[in-house]
Amino acid sequence: MNNPTIDQLWLLVCSGLVLLMQAGFLCLEAGLTRSKNSGNVAFKNMADLAIAPLMFWLFGAQLMFGVGAIAWTGDPESGLIIPLIFQTMFCATAATIVSGAVAERMRLNAYAVVAGVICLVIYPIVGSWAWGGAYGGPAGWLESLGFKDFAGSGVVHMTGGFAALAAILVLGPRTGRFAPGRLRAGFPKATLPLAMLGAIILFFGWI
């Protein structure tokens, strides 16, 4: 059955589930860091939700799909606004994966720059490889080879994961993390119940 209205509604629900994952990441990361840094970590997750729409709508959508965000939103009847919302949530998720990896090791202003680069350039380029031809633009090279990534496991999580790996290779471990006697115990956690709540929210969002 081909029902565009149902398709759009389903994509909007999925956008809400991906947005819910932002709450999961926030709780998980804030709960597993030290109390003095939990507010900073939570703010970085909120910053992603401010940076991603701005960067992705200004330039990222054009780079990813060959169709600018203004063109997407200029005609409400085109049905492109909902896919744009969905991709914006994915973009924010790719950035927020980095926030957990660099927790307690990166200042907020430096993180904002990193998140901006991910949302403006890195995620759109990788996304164009797999989904570039979805809305009228040229097909990406992975897409041309038959690559399928319905729920972002490659485009979103690998992009965020490799960006996080690059960041921690540059930053190194948290100061004092491998001091004598610290290796086994680690740092004290802010709120383990909050972290567990975050994990449950993430499990639900992954649906």
Side-chain angles (χ1 to χ4, degrees), residues 73-126:
T73 57
D75 180 12
E77 297 300 321
S78 69
L80 291 175
I81 182 64
I82 294 176
L84 179 61
I85 293 171
F86 181 66
Q87 285 296 335
T88 302
M89 292 299 99
F90 264 177
C91 185
T93 299
T96 208
I97 290 171
V98 180
S99 73
V102 303
E104 302 188 287
R105 284 175 284 178
M106 182 178 282
R107 294 183 183 276
L108 182 60
N109 55 354
Y111 175 76
V113 171
V114 170
V117 171
I118 290 171
C119 296
L120 192 67
V121 180
I122 297 175
Y123 174 78
I125 288 176
V126 177

Side-chain angles (χ1 to χ4, degrees), residues 15 18-23 25-26 29 44-57 64 84-100 111 114-116 118-120 123-124 131 155-157 159-161 202:
S15 301
V18 179
L19 176 61
L20 186 64
M21 289 173 61
Q22 289 287 134
F25 278 119
L26 188 155
E29 294 168 19
K44 286 175 182 173
N45 278 269
M46 290 300 296
D48 291 328
L49 290 177
I51 293 170
L54 180 63
M55 297 294 99
F56 192 70
W57 287 42
M64 188 167 174
L84 179 61
I85 293 171
F86 181 66
Q87 285 296 335
T88 302
M89 292 299 99
F90 264 177
C91 185
T93 299
T96 208
I97 290 171
V98 180
S99 73
Y111 175 76
V114 170
I118 290 171
C119 296
L120 192 67
Y123 174 78
W131 299 322
V155 175
V156 180
H157 294 95
T159 300
L202 281 172

Side-chain angles (χ1 to χ4, degrees), residues 173-197:
R174 288 177 285 179
T175 302
R177 173 64 182 87
F178 295 105
R182 178 71 72 184
L183 181 60
R184 180 173 296 179
F187 285 117
K189 312 301 186 290
T191 313
L192 277 177
L194 181 65
M196 298 305 100
L197 173 63

Side-chain angles (χ1 to χ4, degrees), residues 33 40 62 81 126 153-154 178 183 200:
T33 52
N40 177 273
Q62 174 70 48
I81 182 64
V126 177
S153 58
F178 295 105
L183 181 60
I200 292 171

